[in-house]
């Protein structure tokens, strides 16, 4: 599929200076960060993210105003994000804008989406909690619901009670493992 394909997930390619190879040097020096051997031009990254969001919004047939209403944000927030002027955009706003777009993509016939986008949608289904009309369940993290319940109960306790909880759990586990096989059958 070509680069004009709205379902294509285009990787962000950065040159040695942390910019797209065809990008002009940035004057937003405060947003260029050194990350290990690579430099990331966050202003350029944000412009590309905004372009992708606009591309998906137009593909699913939403106006900026419609997307803003569905996301519970202002039309100006959508406009700033799409124009790449959203460097200080809170993560919550990004997530709110993402939800209606993902929901609209999920309502499309999957056969028109490319393989990478279908995998991304499946991945987000597995790691994102259900929100609004998205209507899917979160998969367990550990594969053992009992372990997850213990962890949840531990985390719900005030800090001062956690040590007691662990002591009780340790004593319970020790008593269960000390039961001999002969006494189990009685």
């Amino acid at each position: 599929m070509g680069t004009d394909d709205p379902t294509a997930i285009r990787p962000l390619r950065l040159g040695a200076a942390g910019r797209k190879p065809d990008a002009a040097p940035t004057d937003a020096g405060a947003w260029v960060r050194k990350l290990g051997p690579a430099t990331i031009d966050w202003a350029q990254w944000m412009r590309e993210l905004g372009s992708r969001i606009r591309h998906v919004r137009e593909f699913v047939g939403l106006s900026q105003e419609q997307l803003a209403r569905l996301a519970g944000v202002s039309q100006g927030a959508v406009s700033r994000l799409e124009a790449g002027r959203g460097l200080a955009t809170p993560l919550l706003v990004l997530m709110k804008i993402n939800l209606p777009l993902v929901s609209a993509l999920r309502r499309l016939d999957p056969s028109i989406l490319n393989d990478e986008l279908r995998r991304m949608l499946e991945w987000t289904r597995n790691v994102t909690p259900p929100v609004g009309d998205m209507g899917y369940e979160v998969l367990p993290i550990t594969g053992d619901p009992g372990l997850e319940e213990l962890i949840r109960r531990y985390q719900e306790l005030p800090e001062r009670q956690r040590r007691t909880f662990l002591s009780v759990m340790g004593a319970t586990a020790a008593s269960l493992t000390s039961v001999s096989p002969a006494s189990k059958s009685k």
Side-chain angles (χ1 to χ4, degrees), residues 45-55 81-84:
W45 185 89
M46 202 65 187
R47 284 188 295 274
E48 193 160 322
L49 175 65
S51 173
R52 291 176 186 188
I53 289 171
R54 182 181 62 248
H55 201 75
L81 187 59
E82 288 184 358

Side-chain angles (χ1 to χ4, degrees), residues 13-43:
R13 302 198 194 289
L14 300 176
R19 293 184 299 274
K20 287 175 49 180
D22 58 340
T26 181
D27 58 353
W31 293 102
V32 176
R33 295 286 185 251
K34 186 84 169 157
L35 183 65
T39 301
I40 299 174
D41 181 345
W42 289 108

Side-chain angles (χ1 to χ4, degrees), residues 11 18 31 65 122 128 132 157 165 183:
W31 293 102
E65 187 175 314
E122 187 59 33
T128 305
L157 290 172
F165 178 82
S183 63

Side-chain angles (χ1 to χ4, degrees), residues 38-93:
T39 301
I40 299 174
D41 181 345
W42 289 108
Q44 176 62 35
W45 185 89
M46 202 65 187
R47 284 188 295 274
E48 193 160 322
L49 175 65
S51 173
R52 291 176 186 188
I53 289 171
R54 182 181 62 248
H55 201 75
V56 172
R57 176 184 57 77
E58 290 172 346
F59 179 72
V60 297
L62 294 172
S63 68
Q64 284 185 350
E65 187 175 314
Q66 290 169 321
L67 177 57
R69 189 171 19 82
L70 290 169
V73 300
S74 70
Q75 181 272 328
V78 174
S79 176
R80 282 187 300 278
L81 187 59
E82 288 184 358
R85 296 186 319 265
L87 284 171
T89 302
L91 179 59
L92 180 59
V93 172

Side-chain angles (χ1 to χ4, degrees), residues 107-160:
R107 287 192 297 269
L108 297 174
D109 179 357
S111 67
I112 68 169
L113 305 175
N114 71 30
D115 291 340
E116 190 173 355
L117 184 55
R118 282 196 303 269
R119 280 192 303 276
M120 186 274 307
L121 289 171
E122 187 59 33
W123 180 82
T124 59
R125 178 184 307 275
N126 293 335
V127 298
T128 305
V131 177
D133 67 348
M134 303 271 299
Y136 51 87
E137 296 300 319
V138 178
L139 295 178
I141 295 172
T142 65
D144 183 347
L147 177 60
E148 289 190 30
E149 181 181 356
L150 285 175
I151 292 169
R152 182 183 51 77
R153 289 180 184 268
Y154 173 82
Q155 291 172 338
E156 289 172 349
L157 290 172
E159 191 70 36
R160 67 184 187 285

